[in-house]
Amino acid sequence: MNAENLKLCEKLVSSSYVQQGAQARSIQENKIRQLLQHRKLPEEGWDDITIELCLQELAVMDSNNFKGNCGIGEREARIASSLVAKRHYRLGHGIGRSGDITAIQPKAAGSSLLMKLTNSLVLDVLKIAGINSVEDCFVVPMATGMCLVLCMLTLRQTRPNALYVLWPRIDQKSCFKSIITAGFQPVVIENCLVGDELTTDLSAIEEKIEELGPDKVLCIMTTTSCFAPRIPDKLEEVAVLSKKYDIPHLVNNAYGIQSTKCTHLLQQASRVGRVDAFVQSTDKNFMVPVGGSVIASFDKNLLQKISKTYPGRASVSPTLDLFITLLTLGSTGYKKLLSKRKAMYSYLSSSLSSCAAKHGERLLSVPHNPISMAMSLTVADGGDNERLSTEVGSMLFTRFVSGTRVVESSGTETSVSGYKFQNFGAHHNDYPCTYLTAAAAIGMTESEVDTFITRLDKVLTKCKKRKTNSGHSTCYQEIGSLGTNGDELVTFTGIRNDTSQQE
Ligand SMILES: *Cc1c(COP(=O)(O)O)cnc(C)c1O
């Protein structure tokens, strides 16, 4: 309430009470003022009332909420359902303008402010997470794969001869498909097996560049966050190659913001070589519903080009979700989530390690993957046990364990957009053993780890018993009782038997 209104209030309620109320209110207004002033994550998270107050203030600045506004255009943010209006805090204009997703929308000062503020908050979070010299970023209402497409289509504008994208193999369909969707030919760089780890083959990348010619290569697409036993790509070395041959370097940092190892890789790579843009999913890093990504860069101009490549306006939803979430957490809350995650990684890895030892298995040695880990499943290896790996995956799935994957190198060939892969899911043509993966992702709790280990222990005990009794009829019955037909059984093998990030 402004001073004039407060004066009027004092005619109705005793002035000391009104002053007290006004004082309480000014605390909230101060928070909003500081947000507008510094455009940084508040240290302490805001309460819901303050956030809603702020959103209301923004919403009344959009033309669809003007009293007596008369909309004569074809897009006036009219919302038929009051539920839908409430779900969006009455912000109906979306973000951006036809030619730029980060442009100000004249009909929607409030939505435009929300967009600008959210992008600033995210930039701050990227720095807090360890990418100190990031220049700029923006939220896009599309998931990671589509944002990679947008980046490649932007790079194409300055590389007219480019036909190929060099892609160190990461068995995740959406990033592979993003190359095809953008209209380029993926050149798969197979990984090197070093100990248990799968890592970037740098000389193969350089050979390919020489063979194809640097100007024929649109970009090198590396990946930070990935399933063990693959580890983050050698970002610094690739960045150096990228600089040497003047080829753009695009980084798929899908869930890497939550790990300082991944963010430091990005930071270092940009220091020693070339990183053009990096993309991360909002849901995987910030605990919001699926639907958005953040495109970020060390180069403001390139980022602006990318935002101008996006045609038309965009949904405000992922921006709104992120704005609310970041204000709720504050920098203290987000940092807490990050350190909790790190602790959960240690907890999960020691719990999984003991469980593995109990069953004659072992945790694969993948010290360079900071999020995902893998445990051998030799129980499923060998001759007539080839179906057992399938069973472990589905038994866990039916016991409400989501996100684990059982990967076997059974020699199957999978076709992704017409490209053939041996043992897709394993990041390698012939990984030496069958294994199960688990990830310590942001938000994971001790009790989830405990429950997972208890269920895994039961499943492994059961499987071992069945293996020694030979014959898997009971296991199959269990799957059968779910009404799973032969076709769906196939979807339980290897990479597809999960409900995790891999989707
Ligand atoms: C999640 C993920 C993607 C992208 O998936 P979207 O559904 O497009 O967000 C790409 N690569 C990796 C490694 C991922 O984990």
Side-chain angles (χ1 to χ4, degrees), residues 29-243:
E29 296 214 312
N30 271 335
K31 285 184 179 170
I32 297 173
R33 181 179 54 75
Q34 286 191 11
L35 175 69
L36 289 166
Q37 209 165 26
H38 304 298
R39 286 165 248 137
K40 288 208 156 78
L41 213 53
E43 200 171 308
E44 292 307 320
W46 291 9
D47 53 40
D48 291 359
I49 290 189
T50 309
I51 292 172
E52 290 196 303
L53 190 75
C54 179
L55 289 172
Q56 294 256 356
E57 299 259 17
L58 293 174
V60 294
M61 294 169 79
D62 280 7
S63 68
N64 58 309
N65 300 314
F66 293 171
K67 201 76 211 143
N69 188 63
C70 121
I72 306 299
E74 80 291 356
R75 180 183 262 169
E76 295 291 349
R78 296 185 179 99
I79 305 173
S81 155
S82 66
L83 283 177
V84 173
K86 263 195 262 179
R87 191 172 97 80
H88 293 268
Y89 286 94
R90 297 181 173 76
L91 296 161
H93 282 288
I95 56 168
R97 287 187 89 176
S98 45
D100 186 343
I101 194 175
T102 58
I104 301 302
Q105 177 53 237
K107 284 180 190 170
S111 294
S112 301
L113 277 165
L114 179 79
M115 178 264 292
K116 291 275 179 195
L117 285 171
T118 307
N119 290 344
S120 297
L121 293 181
V122 176
L123 188 68
D124 194 30
V125 166
L126 295 181
K127 289 178 181 169
I128 289 171
I131 313 170
N132 309 318
S133 56
V134 58
E135 273 279 323
D136 212 353
C137 71
F138 60 89
V139 177
V140 190
M142 300 190 294
T144 320
M146 282 301 288
C147 284
L148 291 169
V149 172
L150 190 66
C151 292
M152 284 182 271
L153 293 180
T154 308
L155 294 173
R156 183 175 71 168
Q157 296 160 17
T158 48
R159 298 182 72 77
N161 299 323
L163 299 170
Y164 307 102
V165 172
L166 302 192
W167 181 75
R169 179 170 169 183
I170 153 103
D171 290 358
Q172 208 284 346
K173 282 185 185 166
S174 57
C175 51
F176 183 75
K177 283 184 160 179
S178 72
I179 300 171
I180 312 259
T181 304
F184 294 92
Q185 293 174 43
V187 176
V188 181
I189 308 290
E190 292 291 342
N191 296 305
C192 299
L193 180 63
V194 179
D196 288 337
E197 293 185 329
L198 291 167
T199 181
T200 322
D201 189 343
L202 287 168
S203 47
I205 294 179
E206 189 155 17
E207 273 162 34
K208 270 292 166 199
I209 295 174
E210 299 274 5
E211 180 193 321
L212 301 169
D215 70 320
K216 291 282 191 305
V217 180
L218 178 83
C219 67
I220 309 172
M221 191 200 287
T222 57
T223 307
T224 53
S225 52
C226 58
F227 291 115
R230 192 193 191 278
I231 61 172
D233 276 315
K234 293 177 178 156
L235 247 63
E236 292 170 55
E237 291 86 341
V238 173
V240 169
L241 281 181
S242 173
K243 194 173 180 177

Side-chain angles (χ1 to χ4, degrees), residues 419-438:
Y419 287 75
K420 299 221 177 339
F421 288 90
Q422 283 292 112
N423 293 319
F424 192 82
H427 315 290
H428 193 264
N429 287 332
D430 191 22
Y431 196 76
C433 71
T434 297
Y435 59 85
L436 173 145
T437 64

Side-chain angles (χ1 to χ4, degrees), residues 360-373:
E361 304 287 353
R362 69 185 182 94
L363 201 61
L364 302 185
S365 173
V366 190
H368 296 98
N369 191 318
I371 300 168
S372 170
M373 57 195 81

Side-chain angles (χ1 to χ4, degrees), residues 169-410:
R169 179 170 169 183
I170 153 103
D171 290 358
Q172 208 284 346
K173 282 185 185 166
S174 57
C175 51
F176 183 75
K177 283 184 160 179
S178 72
I179 300 171
I180 312 259
T181 304
F184 294 92
Q185 293 174 43
V187 176
V188 181
I189 308 290
E190 292 291 342
N191 296 305
C192 299
L193 180 63
V194 179
D196 288 337
E197 293 185 329
L198 291 167
T199 181
T200 322
D201 189 343
L202 287 168
S203 47
I205 294 179
E206 189 155 17
E207 273 162 34
K208 270 292 166 199
I209 295 174
E210 299 274 5
E211 180 193 321
L212 301 169
D215 70 320
K216 291 282 191 305
V217 180
L218 178 83
C219 67
I220 309 172
M221 191 200 287
T222 57
T223 307
T224 53
S225 52
C226 58
F227 291 115
R230 192 193 191 278
I231 61 172
D233 276 315
K234 293 177 178 156
L235 247 63
E236 292 170 55
E237 291 86 341
V238 173
V240 169
L241 281 181
S242 173
K243 194 173 180 177
K244 177 176 166 191
Y245 290 97
D246 196 23
I247 298 173
H249 181 193
L250 179 59
V251 183
N252 176 5
N253 189 40
Y255 47 105
I257 297 300
Q258 60 189 291
S259 145
T260 47
K261 237 182 208 172
C262 295
T263 57
H264 288 164
L265 270 178
L266 274 159
Q267 176 64 30
Q268 277 304 101
S270 82
R271 205 178 56 78
V272 301
R274 177 169 176 177
V275 173
D276 291 72
F278 53 101
V279 178
Q280 36 273 309
S281 145
T282 54
D283 64 287
K284 289 182 192 171
N285 292 288
F286 302 113
M287 300 174 74
V288 293
V290 170
S293 305
V294 173
I295 302 181
S297 176
F298 300 96
D299 173 0
K300 250 187 171 43
N301 289 331
L302 174 68
L303 203 79
Q304 201 167 38
K305 258 193 198 162
I306 300 172
S307 75
K308 286 198 163 111
T309 304
Y310 187 103
R313 251 189 263 185
S315 164
V316 77
S317 285
T319 299
L320 187 57
D321 288 345
L322 209 48
F323 182 76
I324 294 172
T325 302
L326 293 177
L327 287 180
T328 301
L329 292 170
S331 61
T332 309
Y334 194 64
K335 285 178 196 163
K336 226 183 241 171
L337 282 173
L338 295 182
S339 58
K340 175 83 189 283
R341 191 207 69 79
K342 220 169 176 177
M344 282 302 102
Y345 175 88
S346 305
Y347 186 53
L348 177 63
S349 102
S350 69
S351 309
L352 198 56
S353 185
S354 334
C355 178
K358 184 179 164 193
H359 294 276
E361 304 287 353
R362 69 185 182 94
L363 201 61
L364 302 185
S365 173
V366 190
H368 296 98
N369 191 318
I371 300 168
S372 170
M373 57 195 81
M375 176 191 127
S376 72
L377 272 183
T378 54
V379 65
D381 272 339
D384 51 346
N385 287 306
E386 62 199 40
R387 306 231 67 163
L388 206 56
S389 60
T390 313
E391 288 169 34
V392 175
S394 28
M395 282 162 86
L396 285 168
F397 187 79
T398 60
R399 283 163 178 76
F400 299 103
V401 173
S402 61
T404 56
R405 305 153 61 246
V406 175
V407 179
E408 58 179 335
S409 289
S410 57

